[in-house]
Amino acid sequence: MDNNNIALITKLVLEAVEGQKKADNEPGYLVPIGVSARHVHLTQEHVEVLFGPGYQLTKKKELMGGQFASNEVVTLVGVKLRAIENVRILGPVRSKSQVEISATDSIKLGIKAPIRESGNVEGSSPIAIVGPKGALYLTEGCIIAKRHIHMAPKDANEAGVHDGQIVSVKADNERGTIFNHVQVRVDDSFTLEMHIDTDEANAARISTGDTVRIIK
């Protein structure tokens, strides 16, 4: 390797190091991203409607807060029989069934799903769910999940935020996206992670494992 190439490589390495130092010194609390794909939460009653009497969800992958991605999938059906297949169920079972989709999914299904915090389904969009043993129709329950940050109390204390607070976060990538109206959710069972849906991730060129900064 000649001296010119060595000098060029050295310059590039030093620039990369300086760029990382600058990023590390940026103000704001650093939070990893988790991109949340469409999914379903079900009551035990509805699990049995879709998969048969006595059926129990089976675990595919552990998630935070005692949740898990199950092996079971269903088909979502909107108006005019527009459908999305192979939508995963998250366990454990809940007290009320809920479907979380993206805005693009909402258009495909022909429904008007509102942006809501998970669990707030009153007056939300109706949707049909089809399983291998049966089908059910939810008169309400389909939402686009509001973007949010999961935090343990220790993380919230370090970031200077509290449960229910609304913050803004910045993604320092080629798109330079700022997300407003991000809800902070604090619980002892949570692992630090901001959740956005696939539409938001694709628009901002963000993938699971990337990081953003809380800028309030």
Side-chain angles (χ1 to χ4, degrees):
M1 186 179 296
D2 61 35
N3 289 336
N4 288 336
N5 285 335
I6 292 173
L8 177 59
I9 293 171
T10 301
K11 179 175 180 293
L12 292 173
V13 170
L14 289 173
E15 287 176 351
V17 169
E18 287 302 313
Q20 185 60 52
K21 285 181 179 178
K22 182 178 178 182
D24 290 341
N25 290 327
E26 284 283 330
Y29 193 75
L30 202 63
V31 179
I33 285 284
V35 179
S36 182
R38 65 180 78 98
H39 59 272
V40 176
H41 300 281
L42 294 173
T43 64
Q44 181 57 35
E45 177 188 358
H46 287 165
V47 168
E48 296 187 31
V49 169
L50 298 173
F51 294 91
Y55 193 90
Q56 300 291 318
L57 296 176
T58 59
K59 192 176 298 185
K60 178 182 176 70
K61 181 183 178 182
E62 290 279 359
L63 302 173
M64 76 170 67
Q67 293 193 88
F68 61 88
S70 76
N71 291 297
E72 289 74 26
V73 295
V74 292
T75 297
L76 304 180
V77 183
V79 300
K80 299 181 181 178
L81 300 181
R82 297 175 183 174
I84 298 176
E85 299 179 331
N86 297 315
V87 180
R88 194 160 305 279
I89 300 171
L90 300 190
V93 294
R94 290 192 172 188
S95 60
K96 197 164 189 178
S97 293
Q98 173 181 300
V99 177
E100 296 183 33
I101 61 174
S102 69
T104 298
D105 293 336
S106 184
I107 294 169
K108 181 174 181 178
L109 292 167
I111 61 178
K112 295 182 179 180
I115 299 173
R116 296 279 185 83
E117 181 183 359
S118 179
N120 180 10
V121 298
E122 185 176 354
S124 58
S125 296
I127 195 165
I129 306 174
V130 180
K133 299 291 185 179
L136 61 91
Y137 180 75
L138 301 181
T139 57
E140 61 182 17
C142 186
I143 65 169
I144 299 169
K146 186 175 183 178
R147 59 180 77 113
H148 57 277
I149 302 173
H150 289 283
M151 286 184 161
K154 177 179 178 292
D155 299 315
N157 184 58
E158 290 178 356
V161 297
H162 58 79
D163 185 50
Q165 185 172 344
I166 304 300
V167 299
S168 295
V169 304
K170 181 180 180 182
D172 290 309
N173 61 8
E174 59 190 324
R175 283 294 177 94
T177 306
I178 292 178
F179 293 98
N180 296 316
H181 310 299
V182 182
Q183 184 168 17
V184 175
R185 299 173 61 183
V186 181
D187 190 90
D188 287 323
S189 65
F190 289 161
T191 301
L192 181 63
E193 193 169 65
M194 176 176 168
H195 286 177
I196 57 176
D197 66 30
T198 50
D199 281 358
E200 295 169 312
N202 289 337
R205 295 294 293 272
I206 292 174
S207 301
T208 292
D210 291 345
T211 57
V212 292
R213 292 181 185 274
I214 298 175
I215 58 175
K216 302 184 183 181

